[in-house]
Amino acid sequence: MALHTKRLLHLFFFFGVIYPLTSLDFSSKIPNEQLVEELLDSMTDEDILGQVFMLGYMGETASEVIMDWITEKKIGGIKIFGWNANDLSVLADTIGNMQDGALNTEFKIPLIIATDQEGGWVRHIKGETSITPGNLALGASGIPYDSYMTGLYIGQELRRLGINMNFAPTVDVYLNPLADVIGPRAFSQDPIQTGSLGTAFFKGMEEAAVISTAKHFPGHGNADEDSHGTLPVIPSTLDFLESHDLIPYKMMIKEGLPAIMVGHLAFPNITENMKPASLCPIFLKDILRDEMNYEGLVITDDLVMQGARYNNRSLPEVCETALRAGSDILLISRNPDVHEEIWQYLIKLMKVDPGFAQDVRTAASRVLKIKAKYLKRPDHVPFHPSSVGIKEDIPGRDSKEFFFGQAARSTTLVRQSVIPVPFNSTALICGLYSDFRRQGEAMFEGSSLKIPYSFDNNEKWDVISRIRQRAEDYDFIIFSLSRYQDLYILKELEDLAEKIIVLSSLTPVYLNDLPWVRDAVAVYGSGKDSYQSGFAAIRGDFFPRGRLPVDFIHDLHAQ
């Protein structure tokens, strides 16, 4: 029976009249495997292609253009970015409207609604959502239950908004101290600890009925560049990858990991070329599917990123290559004109190339299987979440207390000379982040000085001069070290070493450039809880028990 006549499977002919016998759609109460196959047999090429598209949109509400993609081309997913999420109530209503559009199509297939809510540094849905201490903090405390509860709380907040997929956890193994784009997003430099914490995190989100997506396969933690702006070249051999970066994925796949995001990363010692992993069947078919026996979804990192533009190919050609290589969902962030160009290119190719058409069908099958498994659960994410009561529901009950405790459990004493400081010590609080300065002023008698986000050489020396002028009025100078730019100022203050205490946040790797610093405490987030815990440790309110989750920090003065 030809593909287009299979729509008649559920019709009954009697005395020359065609009567509907059953209506096939996503809600049909038949086994999931059967449902997916019958849907695919009933769908046109256009219907099938739509399922492998995940698009972003501009603005806070769904434009007419994105609604047309949902209702006419029946795309499979939507990615929520930070610019879409300024108001949680508006976001919930917008997600509901988009799902309504999808559910009013012929087969009533709901959308995957995805975002990046890793915790810590990366948090696309802001507003009142939880500010967590981050993955590196989970590595410092080393407690899988903390990771499980972090995934659960994040998942519950996303679920309340109608978001059913999270591009988390990040399970890149923190192997290279120059991996700035990963840094505090990693759990640890230990692949087994990374796998353990990553598994716990995804199980927490699983409990919240949110689809976890581990990233960035096969591993971004040994890169010293950012794939948003270039193609990172990673020197790892296959043996090294097997014994380091792939271990977390092997552990999580055994536990039922539903989705993996593949990164735009080149491994010339493995592939003998500069093709990114996201476009390479060696990684997606030979290693991930055949060797690691992975059966879940493979999602590309955003294909507008520079790292995906292999050999200066056009974006439609890049999308074709990704699907042929074994990707299942094409993530394409924005620009409707480019979306249409990609669509026309791929649908024409499906009509003339049966092999490519089968690749797209295989990808769509995996998308539908994940949707059937997660979005037909009795506790599935509501397709039309209510915007009423969001402020009461987010953050979740008990989550604030939990994340404050987790921040304290992860706080790490890196170097110690005068810590804990004498009672009633005064301090000049110097740092970029307002939360850092506010918490410091609240806990120490003194005042604060803002370090600018960016500064030229003259401005740098002006800040240094102001710190020197005020230093004699305080017992200590507590300086926030959270980025490389902070070193430009701190390196000029070595003569004040007896007064300097560094409160490192995010990644502690920058302490390596300051061997003269005698006192340093590390926290791993940039929120109020992390800073409050760090200041409390300096003041001696508690003894920090966190352990550095990386061993390339020079803790020369620790006791």
Side-chain angles (χ1 to χ4, degrees):
M1 183 179 291
L3 175 63
H4 296 293
T5 63
K6 290 185 179 180
R7 294 180 184 274
L8 303 178
L9 281 172
H10 297 275
L11 300 175
F12 178 68
F13 185 86
F14 183 67
F15 288 117
V17 180
I18 295 177
Y19 296 96
L21 184 63
T22 61
S23 59
L24 175 70
D25 62 45
F26 185 78
S27 64
S28 298
K29 297 185 182 304
I30 58 177
N32 286 345
E33 289 285 338
Q34 179 185 349
L35 173 64
V36 169
E37 288 306 310
E38 291 196 15
L39 284 171
L40 288 169
D41 287 343
S42 302
M43 293 164 77
T44 65
D45 286 346
E46 288 79 3
D47 295 332
I48 292 172
L49 179 62
Q51 286 301 306
V52 308
F53 270 64
M54 178 177 284
L55 303 182
Y57 63 97
M58 299 306 296
E60 292 188 36
T61 58
S63 66
E64 183 178 340
V65 172
I66 198 66
M67 290 303 299
D68 283 345
W69 276 90
I70 293 168
T71 59
E72 301 301 320
K73 292 189 170 70
K74 307 179 186 72
I75 59 173
I78 293 289
K79 167 68 194 304
I80 305 297
F81 288 87
W83 57 75
N84 306 129
N86 293 319
D87 185 309
L88 298 187
S89 295
V90 172
L91 177 61
D93 285 338
T94 299
I95 288 172
N97 292 336
M98 291 189 293
Q99 287 288 21
D100 283 350
L103 295 173
N104 283 323
T105 59
E106 180 180 1
F107 297 110
K108 299 179 174 56
I109 301 172
L111 294 161
I112 290 177
I113 306 289
T115 196
D116 286 283
Q117 200 80 344
E118 300 173 15
W121 195 11
V122 176
R123 173 174 159 259
H124 282 191
I125 312 300
K126 293 185 170 60
E128 296 303 313
T129 61
S130 294
I131 300 173
T132 82
N135 284 356
L136 208 55
L138 292 167
S141 59
I143 304 171
Y145 180 76
D146 279 357
S147 192
Y148 173 87
M149 292 303 298
T150 298
L152 177 62
Y153 280 126
I154 289 175
Q156 287 173 339
E157 292 179 1
L158 296 181
R159 176 182 172 181
R160 175 64 180 82
L161 294 166
I163 296 170
N164 51 41
M165 173 178 275
N166 192 10
F167 294 154
T170 298
V171 292
D172 299 308
V173 183
Y174 198 177
L175 299 169
N176 188 337
L178 300 179
D180 292 339
V181 72
I182 299 301
R185 300 165 67 189
F187 288 106
S188 171
Q189 75 173 53
D190 181 341
I192 294 177
Q193 184 186 38
T194 298
S196 175
L197 295 173
T199 299
F201 191 103
F202 114 68
K203 289 296 184 181
M205 282 201 292
E206 180 104 354
E207 179 68 20
V210 173
I211 305 166
S212 290
T213 308
K215 61 186 183 185
H216 306 79
F217 184 85
H220 206 311
N222 201 21
D224 58 4
E225 293 181 299
D226 184 353
S227 54
H228 285 84
T230 188
L231 174 62
V233 179
I234 300 177
S236 302
T237 64
L238 183 56
D239 285 344
F240 185 88
L241 212 62
E242 292 275 4
S243 61
H244 292 79
D245 304 78
L246 297 184
I247 286 178
Y249 292 100
K250 292 177 181 178
M251 295 172 66
M252 297 173 76
I253 287 170
K254 287 182 179 179
E255 297 298 325
L257 177 69
I260 287 174
M261 174 175 281
V262 59
H264 308 312
L265 309 160
F267 294 83
N269 288 328
I270 298 173
T271 63
E272 299 183 352
N273 58 42
M274 295 296 289
K275 181 178 284 189
S278 52
L279 308 180
C280 185
I282 291 175
F283 288 104
L284 301 187
K285 291 182 177 178
D286 298 347
I287 294 175
L288 187 57
R289 297 293 186 194
D290 296 342
E291 294 181 18
M292 299 172 67
N293 297 315
Y294 178 63
E295 298 180 355
L297 272 182
V298 172
I299 303 171
T300 68
D301 207 343
D302 194 344
L303 288 167
V304 305
M305 293 163 60
Q306 195 61 38
R309 306 306 285 270
Y310 177 63
N311 280 356
N312 293 315
R313 292 181 180 176
S314 69
L315 198 48
E317 291 172 317
V318 167
C319 291
E320 173 196 350
T321 306
L323 288 167
R324 289 188 188 275
S327 292
D328 303 314
I329 291 181
L330 305 172
L331 173 60
I332 313 164
S333 59
R334 47 187 169 182
N335 193 331
D337 293 339
V338 174
H339 295 167
E340 184 63 32
E341 182 183 352
I342 295 167
W343 177 272
Q344 294 300 333
Y345 178 89
L346 295 180
I347 196 64
K348 288 176 183 177
L349 195 58
M350 286 182 72
K351 303 296 186 185
V352 299
D353 186 335
F356 180 70
Q358 182 58 49
D359 288 338
V360 178
R361 180 185 169 107
T362 299
S365 174
R366 292 196 183 103
V367 174
L368 292 173
K369 285 176 182 176
I370 286 294
K371 288 185 176 184
K373 180 178 179 179
Y374 280 83
L375 304 188
K376 294 188 76 173
R377 283 173 52 163
D379 60 345
H380 67 71
V381 177
F383 294 133
H384 200 136
S386 171
S387 59
V388 177
I390 280 181
K391 291 184 178 180
E392 289 73 36
D393 296 337
I394 298 177
R397 190 180 69 175
D398 301 330
S399 63
K400 287 185 176 181
E401 181 180 354
F402 168 77
F403 287 123
F404 176 73
Q406 207 281 308
R409 287 189 290 276
S410 63
T411 301
T412 307
L413 181 60
V414 184
R415 300 178 187 170
Q416 183 182 32
S417 175
V418 299
I419 295 175
V421 299
F423 180 69
N424 282 342
S425 294
T426 60
L428 176 63
I429 310 298
C430 303
L432 166 65
Y433 295 109
S434 57
D435 277 341
F436 171 84
R437 299 193 305 274
R438 279 196 292 265
Q439 293 301 313
E441 287 186 280
M443 298 183 70
F444 284 87
E445 185 180 339
S447 61
S448 66
L449 187 150
K450 181 179 180 180
I451 305 300
Y453 178 79
S454 60
F455 44 83
D456 59 26
N457 194 53
N458 289 333
E459 291 167 329
K460 179 190 85 170
W461 285 106
D462 178 63
V463 172
I464 292 168
S465 176
R466 285 190 285 140
I467 291 173
R468 291 187 184 283
Q469 290 170 6
R470 300 175 65 180
E472 62 183 23
D473 297 328
Y474 299 93
D475 299 318
F476 299 101
I477 300 168
I478 303 179
F479 199 102
S480 170
L481 176 61
S482 61
R483 59 201 181 125
Y484 191 81
Q485 294 93 314
D486 295 324
L487 292 173
Y488 296 143
I489 293 173
L490 261 175
K491 283 182 175 180
E492 304 298 336
L493 298 175
E494 184 173 356
D495 59 307
L496 296 175
E498 292 185 357
K499 287 194 170 192
I500 295 286
I501 298 174
V502 168
L503 178 48
S504 164
S505 61
L506 303 176
T507 174
V509 297
Y510 305 118
L511 284 167
N512 285 338
D513 288 66
L514 301 165
W516 54 266
V517 168
R518 303 174 184 181
D519 288 272
V521 167
V523 295
Y524 306 92
S526 56
K528 181 175 65 175
D529 291 345
S530 295
Y531 289 131
Q532 190 173 349
S533 298
F535 282 116
I538 292 170
R539 199 170 64 174
D541 295 354
F542 75 105
F543 184 83
R545 301 288 182 182
R547 298 172 63 91
L548 284 172
V550 289
D551 66 8
F552 41 71
I553 309 300
H554 304 318
D555 54 346
L556 302 178
H557 302 282
Q559 294 181 352

